[in-house]
Amino acid sequence: HYLVNALVEIGHAELALGRLDAAHATLAEAAPRADALLVADPANLFWLANACDLWLTQARVEIARGDASAALALLERATPPLR
């Protein structure tokens, strides 16, 4: 889970620097790792929070890239677990 968190933080920094393709690639690298953690222990709220942070950061990148439909899909993925 530390690696997922680190990749998300790198993605945040890349997004802030306007490096959208790099942010997208970094977050895409984190996604299967986060998914594997959730499959291994779906009740782990820490891993779920990390995954939600990942999905919301991916949504921000998609907004910046001009892909509203991809951003909406990621937002919808993150929203139900938070409610």
Side-chain angles (χ1 to χ4, degrees):
H1 74 284
Y2 292 114
L3 184 54
V4 171
N5 190 50
L7 289 168
V8 171
E9 290 302 320
I10 292 167
H12 279 279
E14 290 170 333
L15 175 59
L17 291 169
R19 299 178 54 199
L20 302 182
D21 290 339
H24 185 267
T26 298
L27 297 169
E29 183 181 343
R33 297 169 192 270
D35 290 341
L37 290 172
L38 292 175
V39 167
D41 186 358
N44 188 315
L45 296 179
F46 182 74
W47 292 352
L48 179 59
N50 276 350
C52 287
D53 188 32
L54 167 64
W55 300 327
L56 294 171
T57 303
Q58 287 178 304
R60 287 187 208 97
V61 170
E62 295 304 338
I63 290 166
R65 294 174 78 189
D67 191 342
S69 63
L72 181 58
L74 289 157
L75 177 62
E76 289 174 350
R77 187 172 185 194
T79 302
L82 296 176
R83 291 191 174 158

